[in-house]
Amino acid sequence: MSDNKKRPPVEPEQNSAQPSAMQKRWFWIRTILLTVLIFVFIMWYTYPSNGNVAILWSAGLAGAVLGYFVLSYYRLYR
């Protein structure tokens, strides 16, 4: 059993640390979906008891979640 057979050279993966376009697209789809669902849930939960203040709470918390995802995207992928 000799090692006369040459193994093909291993080529490094190019841009393996960079996410693909499809991964970026799904990241933003999940981010928007989660932001909208948080806004709707907080409105549904607090609007009957708090009225118009519920709009401010839901917009503020949904904006905070959106800000978190935008910040984490730019810190991780840029």
Side-chain angles (χ1 to χ4, degrees):
M1 308 271 177
S2 63
D3 286 323
N4 291 337
K5 296 180 184 178
K6 292 185 179 180
R7 294 181 182 167
V10 177
E11 296 179 14
E13 295 181 21
Q14 296 176 352
N15 296 332
S16 62
Q18 295 293 332
S20 68
M22 184 62 84
Q23 288 173 333
K24 289 180 183 179
R25 184 177 303 130
W26 279 111
F27 178 85
W28 289 114
I29 289 171
R30 285 190 309 258
T31 299
I32 291 168
L33 183 64
L34 184 62
T35 302
V36 169
L37 287 175
I38 286 174
F39 180 83
V40 169
F41 178 74
I42 294 172
M43 280 293 291
W44 172 74
Y45 188 69
T46 60
Y47 191 73
S49 62
N50 292 337
N52 292 335
V53 177
I55 297 170
L56 296 175
W57 274 106
S58 58
L61 289 175
V65 169
L66 180 63
Y68 169 77
F69 280 112
V70 168
L71 181 67
S72 66
Y73 174 81
Y74 284 112
R75 299 283 276 163
L76 291 174
Y77 297 126
R78 299 288 174 176

